[in-house]
Amino acid sequence: MTETTETLDVSGYTFEKAVAELESIVARLERGDVALDESIAIYERGEALKKHCEKLLTAAENRIEKIRLDRAGKPQGVEPLDGDDTLR
């Protein structure tokens, strides 16, 4: 039994749901009581879940901003978290 494209589609999953399913897959594979064909199928699903989680994490990192302060220490605005070149 091989996973079809439809069953590998996890694009609508939240990060939490994807991680929970990925943890379940890892636990099943670690127990070693899964048939070879099923192991391959759930491994493929695990790969799809891992890639989806990485994509969601990257998107979240890109949205994080840091607050810019003026000379008086008051908030002036925001900028990307890794946009500060003064520390390099």
Side-chain angles (χ1 to χ4, degrees), residues 1-8 36-42 44-45:
M1 173 180 116
T2 349
E3 294 285 322
T4 63
T5 305
E6 295 81 32
T7 58
L8 289 176
L36 180 60
D37 285 348
E38 187 178 357
S39 292
I40 293 168
I42 63 175
E44 290 173 350
R45 178 135 181 105

Side-chain angles (χ1 to χ4, degrees), residues 46-60:
E47 278 295 310
L49 289 162
K50 179 180 113 12
K51 288 178 184 176
H52 182 64
C53 287
E54 290 171 347
K55 179 180 159 191
L56 292 173
L57 283 174
T58 299

Side-chain angles (χ1 to χ4, degrees), residues 14-72:
T14 65
F15 179 79
E16 293 77 11
K17 182 176 180 176
V19 167
E21 186 174 338
L22 188 54
E23 288 172 346
S24 172
I25 287 171
V26 169
R28 288 182 68 196
L29 291 172
E30 285 179 344
R31 279 196 311 268
D33 59 356
V34 181
L36 180 60
D37 285 348
E38 187 178 357
S39 292
I40 293 168
I42 63 175
Y43 180 85
E44 290 173 350
R45 178 135 181 105
E47 278 295 310
L49 289 162
K50 179 180 113 12
K51 288 178 184 176
H52 182 64
C53 287
E54 290 171 347
K55 179 180 159 191
L56 292 173
L57 283 174
T58 299
E61 288 172 353
N62 290 337
R63 292 178 52 203
I64 294 174
E65 298 175 328
K66 70 176 181 180
I67 299 172
R68 286 191 322 250
L69 302 177
D70 63 14
R71 292 182 185 257

